[in-house]
Amino acid sequence: KLNIGVDTIQHGVEGLVYLLTESSKLMASIPFLDFQDSIHVLGFSDELNKSLLQLYLDNRKEIRSILGELAPRLPSYHSLEWRLDVQLATRSLRQQIKTAVTMKLHLNQNEDQTAQVLQTDPATLLHLIQQLEQALGEMKMNHCRRIVRNMK
């Protein structure tokens, strides 16, 4: 009926979906004027720009809730059990110290509890702790805060 190719219509719909989902993801950081400027660059008529803006304003909360439902549900921490094993000597080696840390990590996922058993040596565990502390330190930087705030 429109005398337009299927590919053109498909690309138009995909572009519109992309525009609305990305704008809804950044809802807190994209004010009204920024959205208008973003769609003005596309070269549409003023009437179409106003229609797109009204479509965005009417549906942004619904789009955001749908995007929230589609997000993957990751396991969450429940508890941790740990044990330190030390082997001081064997029959053949009288002066041997061999250590291992065994951890049982309990996770919740979709109302189910699972457990993962992990074992490592203390040096690797210390390195892991340092890396996690470094990551936590980076989360306090302004750039990371901005990213996290826009993800919510």
Side-chain angles (χ1 to χ4, degrees), residues 41-109:
V41 172
L42 298 174
F44 297 135
S45 66
D46 288 338
E47 183 180 318
L48 184 57
N49 286 345
K50 288 178 184 175
S51 298
L52 284 173
L53 177 62
Q54 192 59 43
L55 180 69
Y56 166 70
L57 293 174
D58 291 344
N59 296 308
R60 68 181 173 182
K61 290 183 181 175
E62 184 179 350
I63 293 169
R64 194 156 168 82
S65 68
I66 290 170
L67 289 174
E69 291 173 8
L70 294 176
R73 303 284 185 236
L74 299 174
S76 62
Y77 170 81
H78 182 264
S79 64
L80 176 73
E81 299 174 35
W82 62 275
R83 180 180 75 216
L84 178 65
D85 295 324
V86 179
Q87 183 177 6
L88 298 175
T90 62
R91 289 182 188 165
S92 59
L93 294 171
R94 304 244 181 223
Q95 301 254 341
Q96 174 190 18
I97 297 177
K98 187 176 176 184
T99 58
V101 178
T102 305
M103 298 169 282
K104 188 173 187 181
L105 182 63
H106 297 274
L107 303 170
N108 291 333
Q109 185 173 17

Side-chain angles (χ1 to χ4, degrees), residues 106-128:
H106 297 274
L107 303 170
N108 291 333
Q109 185 173 17
N110 299 334
E111 314 259 340
D112 295 331
Q113 273 197 358
T114 59
Q116 298 289 327
V117 178
L118 310 166
Q119 188 172 32
T120 186
D121 61 299
T124 305
L125 184 59
L126 285 174
H127 178 69
L128 179 63

